[in-house]
């Protein structure tokens, strides 16, 4: 449920995601979409996975599944995931790296714990976001790009470090191949440190991944909460409590019209989503080399959900 805020708050809404157990105690928190807020800039989906420790022999197994009309952005805080897709890409991602997958007219991918990693106990924590594509980019060719941690710009200050994952912020630009004006950053604040977040974009939000965030008159907020900022508001962020805080900063320009979302499909056209569903049922998507599993299209009642 959203947290009640004073009328003069700099925040529009505070979202506390529900936690879903995907099995073996592996938990996921879905901050976007929610009933209170469907999108922030081009971000239509934001999941935090973990933190979780897999026993020897266990691991993540996200079987091959399709996407259209979006880019997936995978960013880890702990552990490792092996990405495979229908373009033939095979790429391990580790903390601080970015996997940017441009679905365009259609792509299929899997995300798993590698076999060698399953031989011992392993930890996993991270986030995956979906960024909706502008209308003119929705039917472009699919693509995949891995960006190593060393390639991402970092802005540092006294007790503060901000790694820019995608887009531009604080005078820095990421090499991630974005299709619209946006930003996505990983900020770490040591106890007592402060970070000024300017109102660079019409829609901005903060997801607290670890620790506690102090926003002064608005109070303190704990891990697992999404704070959506009112348009035009600047904020000063500080780590609350005795330990450091780690937050994801995200947002951008509003999308060029509403989007429809069903299962793993995003589009400006509900008819296009229905076509993608039929294409998956009939196995018209290119499949992932060396993957043999197929996930049937789930039964989804009603029409695609329109956002916002």
């Amino acid at each position: 449920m959203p947290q009640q805020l004073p009328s003069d708050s700099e925040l529009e809404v505070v979202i506390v995601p529900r936690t879903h157990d995907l099995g073996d105690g592996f938990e996921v928190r879905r901050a976007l979409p929610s009933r209170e807020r469907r999108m922030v800039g081009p971000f239509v989906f934001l999941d935090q996975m973990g933190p979780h420790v897999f026993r020897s022999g266990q691991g993540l197994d996200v079987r091959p599944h399709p996407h259209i009309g979006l880019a997936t952005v995978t960013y880890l805080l702990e552990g490792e995931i092996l990405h495979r897709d229908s373009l033939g890409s095979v790429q391990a991602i580790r903390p601080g790296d970015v996997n940017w997958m441009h679905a365009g007219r259609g792509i299929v991918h899997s995300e798993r714990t590698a076999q060698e990693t399953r031989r011992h106990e392993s930890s996993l924590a991270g986030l995956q976001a979906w960024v909706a594509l502008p209308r003119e980019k929705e039917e472009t060719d699919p693509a995949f790009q891995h960006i190593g941690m060393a390639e991402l710009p970092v802005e540092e200050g006294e007790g503060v470090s901000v790694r820019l994952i995608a887009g531009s912020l604080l005078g820095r630009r990421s090499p991630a191949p974005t299709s619209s004006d946006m930003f996505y950053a990983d900020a770490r604040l040591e106890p007592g440190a402060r970070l000024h977040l300017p109102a660079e974009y019409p829609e901005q939000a903060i997801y607290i991944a670890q620790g506690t965030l102090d926003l002064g008159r608005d109070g303190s907020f704990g891990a697992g909460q999404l704070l959506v900022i009112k348009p035009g508001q600047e904020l000063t962020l500080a780590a609350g409590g005795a330990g450091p805080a780690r937050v994801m900063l995200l947002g951008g320009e509003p999308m060029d019209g509403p989007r429809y979302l069903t299962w793993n499909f995003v589009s400006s056209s509900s008819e296009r989503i229905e076509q993608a569903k039929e294409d998956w049922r009939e196995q018209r998507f290119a499949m992932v080399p060396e993957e043999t599993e197929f996930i049937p299209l789930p039964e989804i009642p009603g029409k695609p959900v329109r956002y916002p």
Side-chain angles (χ1 to χ4, degrees):
M1 292 182 60
Q3 180 174 326
Q4 293 297 317
L5 296 167
S7 58
D8 62 347
S9 174
E10 296 166 320
L11 302 178
E12 183 177 300
V13 66
V14 176
I15 298 167
V16 182
R18 292 182 177 179
T19 299
H20 302 276
D21 192 325
L22 300 186
D24 296 322
F26 184 75
E27 295 182 338
V28 171
R29 294 179 179 86
R30 180 153 301 164
L32 288 175
S34 73
R35 286 181 296 177
E36 298 79 26
R37 185 74 182 223
R38 299 294 190 180
M39 301 173 67
V40 177
F43 288 84
V44 293
F45 178 99
L46 181 66
D47 261 8
Q48 180 179 6
M49 47 188 167
H52 182 74
V53 176
F54 291 108
R55 297 192 300 270
S56 176
Q58 294 183 334
L60 181 71
D61 279 303
V62 179
R63 296 175 293 168
H65 59 281
H67 290 288
I68 67 164
L70 56 86
T72 66
V73 190
T74 306
Y75 186 80
L76 298 185
L77 308 179
E78 300 176 31
E80 179 180 318
I81 293 176
L82 183 64
H83 164 98
R84 293 181 182 271
D85 64 42
S86 51
L87 300 176
S89 311
V90 180
Q91 178 64 60
I93 181 173
R94 300 177 181 88
D97 298 343
V98 177
N99 274 3
W100 184 280
M101 189 181 74
H102 178 99
R105 59 181 168 77
I107 197 169
V108 180
H109 75 134
S110 65
E111 294 168 299
R112 300 184 186 270
T113 301
Q115 289 301 318
E116 56 269 27
T117 304
R118 295 173 189 256
R119 293 172 185 161
H120 50 79
E121 184 178 274
S122 63
S123 62
L124 182 63
L127 299 103
Q128 187 171 94
W130 295 358
V131 177
L133 299 176
R135 287 176 180 170
E136 69 272 13
K137 299 284 188 180
E138 287 183 319
E139 296 300 320
T140 51
D141 290 341
F144 174 80
Q145 185 171 340
H146 174 80
I147 305 158
M149 179 175 64
E151 301 175 66
L152 298 175
V154 178
E155 183 72 16
E156 293 184 310
E158 188 174 345
V160 176
S161 175
V162 181
R163 174 172 289 111
L164 191 58
I165 298 168
S168 61
L169 184 71
L170 304 175
R172 302 289 191 119
R173 176 170 288 278
S174 165
T178 54
S179 299
S180 60
D181 291 335
M182 58 164 287
F183 72 101
Y184 189 31
D186 171 12
R188 308 185 195 201
L189 293 86
E190 296 299 324
R194 294 182 177 275
L195 171 64
H196 177 69
L197 180 62
E200 289 192 31
Y201 295 86
E203 298 185 6
Q204 303 192 143
I206 305 164
Y207 182 77
I208 306 169
Q210 297 172 350
T212 302
L213 191 66
D214 183 358
L215 294 185
R217 71 181 186 186
D218 272 329
S220 295
F221 302 88
Q225 298 185 73
L226 178 69
L227 318 180
V228 181
I229 305 168
K230 288 180 178 177
Q233 289 285 352
E234 299 184 354
L235 288 181
T236 298
L237 319 182
R246 192 165 189 182
V247 301
M248 311 305 292
L249 312 174
L250 62 135
E253 295 289 333
M255 289 306 296
D256 53 356
R259 289 298 184 272
Y260 295 88
L261 192 154
T262 292
W263 194 35
N264 303 307
F265 304 134
V266 173
S267 178
S268 58
S269 164
S270 60
E271 292 79 12
R272 179 65 180 92
I273 294 230
E274 293 302 320
Q275 180 62 59
K277 289 164 63 177
E278 183 63 19
D279 288 343
W280 184 250
R281 285 192 197 98
E282 298 300 321
Q283 300 188 37
R284 299 188 189 116
F285 279 81
M287 301 309 290
V288 180
E290 299 185 30
E291 289 276 14
T292 58
E293 293 183 275
F294 178 79
I295 301 176
L297 184 78
E299 292 298 323
I300 306 169
K303 296 181 178 180
V305 179
R306 182 180 183 270
Y307 294 167

